[in-house]
Amino acid sequence: MALDADIKAQLNQYLQLLENDIVIKVSAGTDEVSKEMLALIDELASMTPKIKVEKAELKRTPSFSVNRVGEDTGIVFAGVPLGHEFTSLVLALLQVSGRPPKVDQKIIDQIKSIKEEYHFETYVSLTCHNCPDVVQALNIMSVLNPNITHTMIDGAVYKEEVESKNILAVPTVYLNGEPFASGRMQIEEILDKLGQGAAVEELSNKEPFDVLVIGGGPAGASAAIYAARKGIRTGIVAERFGGQILDTLTIENFISVKETEGPKLAKALEEHVKEYPVDIMNLQRAKHLEKKDGMIEVELENGAVLKSKTVIVATGARWRNINVPGEQEFKNKGVAYCPHCDGPLFAGKDVAVIGGGNSGVEAAIDLAGIVNHVTLLEFNDHLKADEILQERLNKLPNVTVITNAATKEITGTDKVNGLTYVDRATGEEKHIELAGVFVQIGLVPNTEWLRGTLELNQIGEIIVDKKGATSIPGVFAAGDCTDSPYNQIIISMGSGAIAALSAFDYLIRN
Ligand SMILES: Cc1cc2nc3c(=O)[nH]c(=O)nc-3n(C[C@H](O)[C@H](O)[C@H](O)COP(=O)(O)OP(=O)(O)OC[C@H]3O[C@@H](n4cnc5c(N)ncnc54)[C@H](O)[C@@H]3O)c2cc1C
């Protein structure tokens, strides 16, 4: 197997950074994948004298482990880690050789203190862009703690194993032989799931904040930066730092950045926040907010209570799911939720929009200008969108409206290829061939925990004024969780800045 010349040149540079010798133990057979794996390892070994190769009998064949001299680390690759996993291989080689992983010292200490034996196995596909984060996080844990091992398993090579475990999405992680998690996860999330997260007392003992931001998406990050730049004590509590953009692939409308990817923007947000003395409490979910003796108290899911003089709620929203087979598997692989954002990716193709309310009809009109053909599916026997929107829709030559359509399944192989629905009038099952499906059955604001506390509108959005003020003095809100008419990154960031400046103004006046 010959590596592409560019990759080879890059690899050569990285391998010069190896600090100490490493031993690759290989379990190979005579099959094609084994041959490909052996060729890759030979190529690695030919580039540096620091890599030694030994034959071994590992649990799976083909597979290989990456070890220190005289000490197994427990990092195994079952398959050939090319594609998106190539970086995971390079990082594993560097880290096993002694180069420190790029994670906070606090996290390194947490990993090193784990006493339990944890054997992780992660099923991946080499085209999955969410998988490397998980593989790399678990490899770091294996490098740092001898009680932890991790095997990356290429599902395409170990098909029977994947089928017998009924794994339909990657990454899927097993721990000590039992299902542990699936989907993108950061190292902090894994530690939290293992019960190694921040302690309740540590959180409760924190000094009161001047501004406490709840939510770590674009709105929360922007609010935290604006607050911290005023030199006031700022904290940020987030269930998942990054928010919705972590689930977004291509972003082309974040003005001044022609094109980026959601996870890249989320990383940039975090790095920007970390430039300031902001206390980031990631993986913490707020469950109650109350004003007591002039202070606002925020209770977290784990029981800890944080106090602050002002609070900015920026808990965002989530797309309402249709919950049919295929939706989760093909998210970002043809199943989309944001026509403004993802529409251009389907230029010239056939797509469907599910939902005949205002957002569905607006999406269909918007998409009709870009794609080849739009099929709009509505569950009821008529569209619910405003008349004026329906009139515009009906004038479009490349839109078909199907009412009484109950979506049954979104179909595909590695990406969406169609949709099956049941005609509710006749009971007949029908299938349409498509490249994309836009689910437009509404957004749900993450405000259930504020019902009865803050004034919300009919659909649960926090009602705010021009300054981002809510019904409780000192509590501000920003972004998708508010009654703002549009939900976009740039708008959320702007409203986060407004809320922070208003909170500062409130502090100096009170
Ligand atoms: C698939 C997809 C593609 C998109 N593409 C684009 C695009 O190309 N361009 C664009 O401009 N917009 C796009 N959007 C919309 C954009 O992502 C949102 O408008 C933006 O992320 C909203 O930011 P936010 O900070 O208000 O909320 P969110 O991003 O939703 O962040 C909310 C934050 O609050 C946290 N949180 C929620 N509840 C709690 C709680 N109880 N306690 C603590 N923390 C909590 C979450 O974990 C998260 O950190 C897309 C959205 C999706 C889903």
Side-chain angles (χ1 to χ4, degrees):
M1 190 220 51
L3 286 175
D4 163 281
D6 272 358
I7 293 190
K8 217 169 150 175
Q10 269 181 27
L11 194 56
N12 223 328
Q13 273 185 349
Y14 285 126
L15 293 181
Q16 303 316 310
L17 302 173
L18 292 178
E19 300 222 332
N20 295 294
D21 285 358
I22 47 186
V23 180
I24 296 186
K25 295 187 179 175
V26 192
S27 186
T30 52
D31 55 287
E32 284 308 308
V33 181
S34 288
K35 284 183 200 157
E36 215 186 304
M37 181 186 76
L38 285 173
L40 172 67
I41 292 166
D42 281 349
E43 195 137 32
L44 290 175
S46 72
M47 289 184 192
T48 167
K50 287 214 163 85
I51 294 183
K52 312 270 182 282
V53 183
E54 284 177 11
K55 276 192 187 159
E57 288 226 354
L58 302 176
K59 183 172 164 188
R60 291 178 183 81
T61 300
S63 73
F64 64 93
S65 60
V66 182
N67 309 289
R68 299 179 191 103
V69 176
E71 188 198 348
D72 285 0
T73 56
I75 295 179
V76 178
F77 291 92
V80 189
L82 291 176
H84 282 307
E85 291 305 336
F86 186 63
T87 315
S88 305
L89 171 63
V90 173
L91 288 174
L93 295 170
L94 292 175
Q95 289 159 5
V96 170
S97 86
R99 287 195 84 84
K102 281 192 181 148
V103 283
D104 291 350
Q105 189 58 42
K106 209 166 90 183
I107 290 175
I108 293 178
D109 295 343
Q110 273 174 19
I111 295 170
K112 285 189 171 167
S113 71
I114 293 175
K115 304 256 173 345
E116 294 82 0
E117 294 245 330
Y118 290 138
H119 303 292
F120 290 99
E121 292 171 311
T122 307
Y123 293 87
V124 303
S125 81
L126 301 184
T127 51
C128 155
H129 66 276
N130 284 326
C131 295
D133 273 7
V134 176
V135 170
Q136 288 161 25
L138 290 168
N139 281 349
I140 288 176
M141 290 173 64
S142 305
V143 165
L144 293 173
N145 186 322
N147 295 330
I148 301 173
T149 67
H150 176 235
T151 303
M152 178 221 84
I153 303 159
D154 179 1
V157 175
Y158 290 90
K159 277 195 194 112
E160 278 178 23
E161 201 172 318
V162 164
E163 273 164 29
S164 71
K165 290 196 155 102
N166 211 4
I167 293 169
L168 290 170
V170 284
T172 288
V173 183
Y174 273 62
L175 170 57
N176 297 340
E178 297 295 325
F180 174 69
S182 88
R184 171 192 283 275
M185 273 191 303
Q186 296 158 354
I187 206 160
E188 293 99 321
E189 286 173 273
I190 298 171
L191 288 170
D192 198 59
K193 224 168 148 44
L194 292 171
Q196 308 284 337
V200 175
E201 304 96 275
E202 188 192 322
L203 290 165
S204 288
N205 288 339
K206 286 185 189 281
E207 289 292 311
F209 293 96
D210 291 317
V211 175
L212 179 64
V213 182
I214 306 171
S222 159
I225 291 171
Y226 266 78
R229 283 173 63 84
K230 292 285 179 194
I232 52 182
R233 188 169 148 69
T234 306
I236 184 163
V237 176
E239 189 180 0
R240 195 172 72 134
F241 198 97
Q244 289 171 63
I245 54 172
L246 286 174
D247 304 320
T248 314
L249 213 50
T250 313
I251 298 168
E252 294 173 346
N253 57 2
F254 183 48
I255 309 309
S256 87
V257 179
K258 274 190 230 156
E259 194 192 329
T260 186
E261 289 184 352
K264 215 163 130 188
L265 180 60
K267 208 169 205 126
L269 282 186
E270 188 169 354
E271 277 166 14
H272 199 174
V273 173
K274 282 183 175 166
E275 284 290 306
Y276 296 93
V278 175
D279 188 344
I280 302 178
M281 293 156 273
N282 197 7
L283 305 174
Q284 300 296 336
R285 197 178 149 82
K287 73 164 185 193
H288 185 69
L289 179 151
E290 196 177 348
K291 195 156 187 177
K292 256 190 194 166
D293 309 323
M295 274 284 174
I296 299 148
E297 292 192 357
V298 175
E299 189 184 348
L300 306 183
E301 207 71 70
N302 67 6
V305 177
L306 300 167
K307 294 193 177 79
S308 186
K309 291 178 193 158
T310 64
V311 162
I312 296 171
V313 180
T315 48
R318 56 191 190 272
W319 298 100
R320 197 185 295 280
N321 290 340
I322 177 119
N323 292 324
V324 295
E327 182 180 30
Q328 292 301 327
E329 291 88 314
F330 300 121
K331 238 178 206 176
N332 286 326
K333 290 183 193 148
V335 173
Y337 298 81
C338 178
H340 300 300
C341 336
D342 299 336
L345 306 175
F346 296 89
K349 298 188 176 154
D350 292 351
V351 302
V353 172
I354 303 177
N358 279 344
S359 57
V361 171
E362 277 173 16
I365 296 171
D366 189 357
L367 288 165
I370 308 168
V371 304
N372 179 53
H373 185 268
V374 182
T375 307
L376 180 79
L377 299 159
E378 164 59 46
F379 182 84
N380 290 307
D381 61 2
H382 64 282
L383 301 185
K384 285 198 224 106
D386 298 344
E387 207 52 48
I388 186 160
L389 288 174
Q390 293 196 39
E391 278 169 21
R392 280 198 54 205
L393 183 79
N394 292 333
K395 284 190 190 138
L396 296 170
N398 61 340
V399 177
T400 309
V401 176
I402 306 177
T403 51
N404 265 326
T407 305
K408 193 177 170 202
E409 185 181 359
I410 297 167
T411 59
T413 46
D414 54 339
K415 57 184 183 201
V416 167
N417 63 17
L419 177 151
T420 306
Y421 70 93
V422 176
D423 181 334
R424 294 170 62 236
T426 61
E428 208 182 326
E429 198 169 292
K430 296 186 178 163
H431 186 260
I432 329 171
E433 282 183 18
L434 300 162
V437 176
F438 285 81
V439 182
Q440 290 293 305
I441 50 174
L443 269 180
V444 197
N446 296 319
T447 55
E448 290 85 350
W449 63 287
L450 293 163
R451 260 186 221 139
T453 308
L454 290 182
E455 201 184 331
L456 308 177
N457 67 11
Q458 265 183 335
I459 51 169
E461 294 164 340
I462 302 169
I463 298 175
V464 288
D465 68 10
K466 271 195 229 165
K467 296 185 89 183
T470 70
S471 55
I472 299 185
V475 178
F476 300 83
D480 282 12
C481 63
T482 69
D483 59 352
S484 148
Y486 304 106
N487 294 339
Q488 290 284 282
I489 298 164
I490 200 154
I491 295 171
S492 297
M493 285 185 176
S495 67
I498 293 176
L501 295 174
S502 304
F504 181 68
D505 194 39
Y506 175 91
L507 285 170
I508 52 177
R509 284 167 199 274
N510 291 274

